[in-house]
Amino acid sequence: MLVYVLRRLGLIIPTIFGILLISFIIVQFAPGGPVERVMAQLQGTAQGANANFGGGSGISNGSGYRGAEGLDPKFVAELNKQFGFDKPAPERFWIMVKNYVRFDFGKSYFRDQPVLSLIEQKLPVSISLGLWMTLISYAISIPLGIRKAIADGSRFDAWTSAAIIIGYAVPGFLVGILLIVLFAGGSFWQIFPLRGLTSEGWAHFTPWHKVTDYFWHITLPVTAMSLSSFATTTFLTKNSFLEEIRKLYVQTARMKGLSETRVLYGHVFRNAMLIVIAGFPGAFIAAFLTSSLLIETIFSLDGLGLLSFEAIQNRDYPIVFANLYIFSLIGLFVNLLSDLVYTWIDPRIDFETREV
């Protein structure tokens, strides 16, 4: 297993390099850029940052970008130098790679703060939403999926399936708006707060007060995100258990006189859960990204989703690439962790015998 882990860790390097390279190339051909945005602000044209032909690599004096007309060429050159666009694209990419190896993401173009510091400030919100959404989803979906498999075809199975499908079909942001209207002072009750992750003066609260205040604030946004997350894991668990229950070894175990609980959790569970675990990395990463932007906006939570959106909108490339780099690393390591959990649940699986 050690050889497999080392091999997977070695593959992370070319994978990350490829992700950064492809993204960097795309940015070079994408319309707009930080230099164009500054010029648009100076010229007072709202569309200037997007409606141009300069691309993401800065503006030269001979570019077709009309926003540069009337500006001192020296000033344009200084802007290019300020954002690092005075160097050729290959050199800029190589500098970025060398810095990212040291987790040096530089400073934001427009926030005048180190990128890593910005991400650290926004991370608690995204971790709160993503982590609790994943834990709640799996804590409910797996037992529910097992119960549905046992009661396959019953009224319980039919009604829960209908409820799960409806929850999956309703967008999370609509659920969030409904929760605000009902429970955050919209039109009915004002039970939960409308904004923020904690109350003012949270640092001076007692430990118990801090915990209760934190959960008081995240109840509505996590609920809005979680309602649509049950469907995939629940049905996947149910179908996996149904497939295993119909196999011969389960019938043999029952014939030996084992209890239904022992059959389900001593024999079926280990085999049925393998496919559920396979979907964990995707669910874990999606929990940080999917619907987080809208939920953060609705509940006034300043997290990574909102930060990434504003960075893309403002062409703040250090933030964009830093988020891409960090989440790519997280995804690759979580995939490796998923394989290790595979072997923990079923020691018969040997990844070293297969090609990576």
Side-chain angles (χ1 to χ4, degrees):
M1 193 63 188
L2 179 60
V3 175
Y4 173 76
V5 172
L6 293 175
R7 195 162 52 191
R8 284 289 297 273
L9 290 175
L11 283 174
I12 289 177
I13 297 174
T15 303
I16 288 292
F17 182 84
I19 291 172
L20 289 177
L21 178 61
I22 293 172
S23 302
F24 187 85
I25 292 173
I26 291 174
V27 164
Q28 302 313 300
F29 293 98
V35 178
E36 291 92 331
R37 181 177 180 274
V38 171
M39 289 184 176
Q41 291 176 337
L42 292 174
Q43 297 286 359
T45 55
Q47 294 85 9
N50 296 325
N52 66 81
F53 306 94
S57 57
I59 298 175
S60 63
N61 291 338
S63 107
Y65 177 63
R66 295 183 178 181
E69 294 178 0
L71 294 176
D72 188 349
K74 291 184 178 179
F75 175 72
V76 176
E78 284 296 324
L79 277 179
N80 279 320
K81 184 177 181 180
Q82 176 184 342
F83 291 110
F85 293 133
D86 57 326
K87 301 180 179 67
E91 183 179 350
R92 286 188 285 113
F93 176 73
W94 180 241
I95 292 174
M96 182 181 72
V97 170
K98 288 193 298 184
N99 290 336
Y100 278 23
V101 169
R102 305 191 304 267
F103 282 84
D104 178 9
F105 303 112
K107 295 183 69 173
S108 166
Y109 284 159
F110 303 108
R111 292 175 180 258
D112 195 30
Q113 291 186 52
V115 172
L116 198 56
S117 175
L118 282 170
I119 292 175
E120 289 175 352
Q121 293 172 22
K122 316 299 181 184
L123 201 55
V125 171
S126 296
I127 289 179
S128 295
L129 295 179
L131 182 61
W132 287 115
M133 171 187 164
T134 304
L135 292 177
I136 292 172
S137 173
Y138 271 74
I140 295 177
S141 297
I142 291 175
L144 181 59
I146 296 173
R147 181 71 181 85
K148 286 172 65 63
I150 296 172
D152 183 40
S154 66
R155 294 180 62 182
F156 171 82
D157 184 35
W159 281 107
T160 52
S161 294
I164 290 170
I165 291 172
I166 292 172
Y168 182 76
V170 178
F173 72 91
L174 287 181
V175 176
I177 293 173
L178 177 62
L179 292 175
I180 289 175
V181 171
L182 291 176
F183 303 112
S187 299
F188 296 89
W189 302 281
Q190 189 168 2
I191 300 174
F192 296 97
L194 183 58
R195 62 176 63 244
L197 196 62
T198 56
S199 301
E200 291 186 10
W202 184 83
H204 304 290
F205 292 172
T206 62
W208 175 247
H209 192 185
K210 286 182 178 180
V211 172
T212 55
D213 183 77
Y214 167 74
F215 282 105
W216 183 49
H217 279 77
I218 68 169
T219 297
L220 294 187
V222 170
T223 301
M225 291 182 67
S226 300
L227 285 180
S228 62
S229 66
F230 298 133
T232 302
T233 309
T234 300
F235 287 120
L236 185 62
T237 303
K238 175 190 173 182
N239 294 333
S240 299
F241 266 79
L242 283 176
E243 183 179 351
E244 291 296 323
I245 287 172
R246 293 164 183 164
K247 289 184 177 179
L248 185 60
Y249 76 89
V250 176
Q251 299 177 16
T252 303
R254 286 171 175 166
M255 290 173 63
K256 289 181 178 180
L258 296 179
S259 65
E260 193 66 18
T261 302
R262 179 74 181 277
V263 171
L264 284 175
Y265 296 99
H267 294 74
V268 175
F269 184 83
R270 183 179 64 181
N271 296 324
M273 288 305 296
L274 287 175
I275 192 171
V276 178
I277 293 171
F280 176 77
F284 181 80
I285 299 301
F288 286 90
L289 302 175
T290 306
S291 302
S292 61
L293 170 61
L294 293 174
I295 295 298
E296 288 174 13
T297 302
I298 292 171
F299 290 96
S300 300
L301 298 171
D302 194 7
L304 287 178
L306 191 59
L307 177 68
S308 299
F309 175 74
E310 292 177 349
I312 294 172
Q313 198 174 39
N314 295 328
R315 307 301 193 268
D316 201 338
Y317 294 140
I319 295 178
V320 173
F321 280 108
N323 277 327
L324 176 67
Y325 179 78
I326 291 172
F327 279 112
S328 297
L329 274 179
I330 292 174
L332 292 170
F333 277 107
V334 169
N335 271 291
L336 176 58
L337 178 62
S338 175
D339 287 347
L340 295 178
V341 175
Y342 263 132
T343 60
W344 175 66
I345 292 180
D346 191 349
R348 295 172 299 175
I349 296 177
D350 185 8
F351 287 107
E352 291 187 9
T353 59
R354 72 170 192 177
E355 295 292 330
V356 180

